Each structure stands twice: as structure tokens, then as C-alpha cells.
Amino acid sequence: RRAFCLNSFGMNDRGQLGHLGDPSIPTLVPSLGGVIDVVCGGNFTLILCTKDRVIRGWGDNTYGQLGVGDFFQFSHIPIEIKKLKHVFAIACGKYHAAALLDDGSGVWWGKNADGDSGTPVPFDGVVDVCKIVCGDFDTQLHLLDGTIINYAH
């Protein structure tokens, strides 16, 4: 995939733009490196970067949806999920997120009916994931054999 830079503009009351610039003017989000993918949840944004295939995020973190371990309110600047490397794909729901790793496993973090997690949690026993899709309150894991597993959050 080709890497690109990211500009953002619009509402910024929860830090969802990733900068403190004028929200009415497209402004470069700083400190990203090469961006491969961008996904947006409910007032938060995650990006997949070319450097070490890591995720950085900013915006609302009330339920731990930035995946950095703490439940602080929000961040206006990109923060790296340090415990997660070699990410292949990312997806966001309204208050949670998920990632597909290079080894075919998957992880999730953020709001969950069984308890919120501020750090990535593996989908136990699930292997050969080829695609991850998030809805507002659920995550689908698409497996290589054609099986689709749905997790409600």
C-alpha cells in the first residue's frame, strides 16, 4: 500500500482532529510518518503507520478506545499504542476498535458490555483472520475458511 500524509478539519471538541489548529481549515496532523490507513470511530481516529506497522490514535478515550492503557478523557495529539506491533489492518466502532495482526490473529480494545479495556485484548482461540470489520457496537472477524464470527461490544 502507498503511504500518505493526513490533513483534518471539522469538529474538534474531543480532540478528534489530532491537532489544535483552526478546525475550519484542513491542517496537517503532526508526527505521523507514513500513513497507510485511517479509520474513524465516535469522536476518535486511528491510523496505521508504515513505521513498524504501528497504530497511533487521538480524540475521545473515555472507554479506552485509544488503546494506550489509560482512561483519560481525550488527546489532541497522536499517541502510539506501544504494546501493538506488526498490524495488518484496523477498524473502529463507535467506542471500540480492533486490529488484525500479521500472524492472522486479532485484538480489540475500548468499550465492551463485559468490561472496558484500555489495552488490546486478543480474540481468544481465533486464528486465520483475514479481515476485521467493526459496526457501532460489534466486531466481525472474517476467517480464511469463510467463517464469520461476530462479537457484540
Side-chain angles (χ1 to χ4, degrees), residues 26-91:
T27 302
L28 182 68
V29 179
S31 306
L32 298 182
V35 177
I36 299 171
D37 197 8
V38 179
V39 292
C40 298
N43 295 326
F44 72 104
T45 303
L46 298 176
I47 58 156
L48 180 57
C49 298
T50 56
K51 182 185 176 204
D52 296 328
R53 311 276 307 183
V54 298
I55 299 172
R56 289 190 176 88
W58 57 87
D60 191 11
N61 191 52
T62 305
Y63 302 104
Q65 57 267 56
L66 296 183
V68 295
D70 295 321
F71 291 88
F72 53 87
Q73 205 169 18
F74 61 88
S75 175
H76 282 285
I77 58 170
I79 302 171
E80 183 178 322
I81 302 177
K82 299 218 180 270
K83 295 182 179 182
L84 203 52
K85 304 272 188 220
H86 306 290
V87 177
F88 183 75
I90 53 178

Side-chain angles (χ1 to χ4, degrees), residues 8-30:
S8 64
F9 64 99
M11 195 166 175
N12 200 27
D13 62 322
R14 305 292 297 167
Q16 58 265 49
L17 295 183
H19 61 75
L20 293 171
D22 183 339
S24 66
I25 299 171
T27 302
L28 182 68
V29 179

Side-chain angles (χ1 to χ4, degrees), residues 115-143:
D116 304 338
S117 176
T119 58
V121 176
F123 290 104
D124 287 332
V126 180
V127 294
D128 296 332
V129 179
C130 61
K131 183 177 180 180
I132 287 186
V133 180
C134 289
D136 278 353
F137 302 104
D138 69 322
T139 300
Q140 286 186 350
L141 304 179
H142 296 237
L143 307 185

